[in-house]
Amino acid sequence: MDIINKILLEWRYQLPSGYPKTDSDYHKLGEVLSEMTDLDTASIQRIVEHARTGNIISEQEETVNMIDRFDSIGLPADVNSQIIQIYQRLSTTESDEFDKNFRAHTIESFVNGGWRAFKKFFLVNVGGARGGMGNGEVALLLGVKDSKPGGTAQHDIVMSNGEWEVKELKSGKFDPAREGLASKFELTSKIEDFYKNIVVPLNEIGDPYESLKHMVEPSSIESLKKLIMIFETRFSEAIDADKLASYEWKKSAFHNWYEGFKELHSIFYKTKLDTDVKDTRMTVDADGQKQSYWISDDDAEEIRLAAGEDDTADIYVGEPVNNENTNAVIWFKRIERNEFVRNPKQFVFELDTIKNSFFQNILGLVWYNYRDPQPHIGLPNNFVIDNMSQGRYRFVLREAPASQGYPYIQEQG
């Protein structure tokens, strides 16, 4: 039984004679409509007046049929109420276009022009707090055939063959919500480990240059100075420790990291610094007590060749290795062996991995510019990651003005 019959049955049931005879009987119709629908007071009064004057079937049926029609989409009742209010204010031409395009489109045809019939429904929301529905979602649901709202457990628009995400961009940016959680991706822990094992120890050794200059040959002194400057400007000053821990990573930090990795790569792979620093060590276990000692690379090779042979290995054993976390030699090698220093492009690859994980879980992305009802279909190469905020990696249009001039942004796939 449809809702109009339910309303009429309930109304007649509450009337003393079973059918309307007095003004109070029509007042009762207003109470039933208020209880069983989400219509506003003006709409209810109009229906009651038409019932009183004998035109109940045409007007009431039109309004209640609208409720049935919008209920079938699966939207909340308060959203349906807003849709009806907007619909009732449309001009004849606008309502005709609405009816002709209602639930008639594919996503693609909606984006390619069908949206115009629903542009007045772009801002439909619930008291300013949309309960998980963003601007543009309702307009799309009104226009796209067989579409359903996704709710909190799914993406925004559910189709028979998969799901679509809908985003309204402000300054070209959007929040991927749980799909961008920092804890889900290896890049987060790799940056944290870089700071823990490399940046923080450097900050704790006093004057870095005085502490490290004896570790390198005189020919590499200038490279060492550049190395220290890179860490100070690209890493130590790029982000505060509390921001790093709270996952508030600004675009300036991402930029400095990528440029710093490229500069470190040049230091270690285009100068003699990497060959001037040794970290080969030998560990001796005597009565359960382990102690490591520095040896040269040549001595390490001699031990390897002599292993299992009758010949002995004649080597020079250097000083004991003490605190491995802050030892300068190990620290040097940690930099050299870091994957982002070896290959700075790996940093961009990690960002691409995060972006692609968002797009591979959906059929596509429909996006709107802020407060603009015209939709667009977003492709993976249209978007890049530019920062992290509130523990989530954030997406931005590659072509947005604020994205220009940043190599780590423009080099993403």
Side-chain angles (χ1 to χ4, degrees), residues 62-73:
E62 177 189 353
T63 302
V64 177
N65 281 345
M66 279 195 292
I67 298 173
D68 280 338
R69 182 161 60 162
F70 301 141
D71 270 343
S72 68
I73 301 175

Side-chain angles (χ1 to χ4, degrees), residues 1 15 32 120 186 229 373:
M1 182 182 295
L15 301 179
V32 171
K120 289 193 173 181
E186 289 187 356
M229 182 184 69

Side-chain angles (χ1 to χ4, degrees), residues 45-64:
Q45 289 175 346
R46 185 167 58 252
I47 293 171
V48 171
E49 183 59 28
H50 279 292
R52 189 194 307 274
T53 59
N55 296 325
I56 185 171
I57 298 301
S58 60
E59 285 296 328
Q60 182 181 354
E61 195 165 41
E62 177 189 353
T63 302
V64 177

Side-chain angles (χ1 to χ4, degrees), residues 11 15-16 21-29 31 52:
W11 179 33
L15 301 179
K21 296 173 59 178
T22 67
D23 287 344
S24 63
D25 292 339
Y26 291 101
H27 178 74
K28 181 62 68 177
L29 173 60
E31 293 178 349
R52 189 194 307 274

Side-chain angles (χ1 to χ4, degrees), residues 163-179:
E163 301 172 10
W164 287 72
E165 192 75 9
V166 180
K167 295 295 183 184
E168 183 183 22
L169 277 54
K170 193 169 185 178
S171 299
K173 298 183 179 182
F174 76 84
D175 176 2
R178 64 180 181 273
E179 299 297 326

Side-chain angles (χ1 to χ4, degrees), residues 369-399:
N369 281 312
Y370 184 67
R371 295 296 189 266
D372 184 344
Q374 180 174 358
H376 310 266
I377 290 181
L379 302 175
N381 63 2
N382 297 145
F383 289 91
V384 290
I385 292 172
D386 76 334
N387 74 93
M388 180 194 294
S389 181
Q390 296 178 322
R392 297 188 294 275
Y393 289 96
R394 302 302 177 105
F395 288 40
V396 65
L397 281 170
R398 183 193 304 275
E399 299 305 319

Side-chain angles (χ1 to χ4, degrees), residues 137-318:
E137 290 181 41
V138 169
L140 196 150
L141 288 164
L142 293 172
V144 175
K145 183 180 180 181
D146 298 328
S147 60
K148 295 287 183 182
T152 56
Q154 297 170 288
H155 292 280
D156 298 323
I157 304 297
V158 178
M159 305 292 289
S160 60
N161 62 337
E163 301 172 10
W164 287 72
E165 192 75 9
V166 180
K167 295 295 183 184
E168 183 183 22
L169 277 54
K170 193 169 185 178
S171 299
K173 298 183 179 182
F174 76 84
D175 176 2
R178 64 180 181 273
E179 299 297 326
L181 282 176
S183 58
K184 293 175 56 176
F185 302 104
E186 289 187 356
L187 176 60
T188 308
S189 58
K190 289 177 179 179
I191 292 296
E192 290 176 318
D193 288 344
F194 185 82
Y195 271 80
K196 176 183 177 181
N197 297 323
I198 298 176
V199 179
V200 171
L202 177 65
N203 293 336
E204 293 177 346
I205 63 174
D207 185 329
Y209 175 72
E210 291 299 322
S211 299
L212 300 175
K213 65 181 182 180
H214 68 284
M215 303 297 303
V216 301
E217 296 293 335
S219 61
S220 290
I221 287 298
E222 290 304 313
S223 293
L224 174 63
K225 291 179 180 178
K226 291 179 181 178
L227 175 79
I228 294 170
M229 182 184 69
I230 291 168
F231 273 98
E232 289 177 346
T233 58
R234 297 298 192 187
F235 297 101
S236 297
E237 297 176 3
I239 188 170
D240 294 332
D242 60 332
K243 297 296 184 183
L244 186 74
S246 63
Y247 297 150
E248 291 289 338
W249 300 357
K250 293 183 178 180
K251 182 162 58 178
S252 58
F254 280 81
H255 170 71
N256 276 300
W257 293 339
Y258 186 44
E259 296 305 305
F261 291 137
K262 290 190 289 185
E263 291 164 0
L264 289 174
H265 177 84
S266 294
I267 288 288
F268 276 97
Y269 293 98
K270 297 180 181 179
T271 70
K272 290 181 59 181
L273 183 62
D274 63 317
T275 60
D276 281 351
V277 182
K278 309 298 182 185
D279 78 334
T280 314
R281 56 193 183 276
M282 176 181 67
T283 300
V284 177
D285 188 344
D287 298 326
Q289 299 293 318
K290 292 184 178 182
Q291 177 64 61
S292 296
Y293 300 87
W294 296 117
I295 61 175
S296 69
D297 286 353
D298 291 339
D299 286 343
E301 180 66 10
E302 187 168 343
I303 293 173
R304 188 185 70 80
L305 294 174
E309 303 292 336
D310 293 334
D311 295 337
T312 60
D314 184 13
I315 65 172
Y316 171 76
V317 179

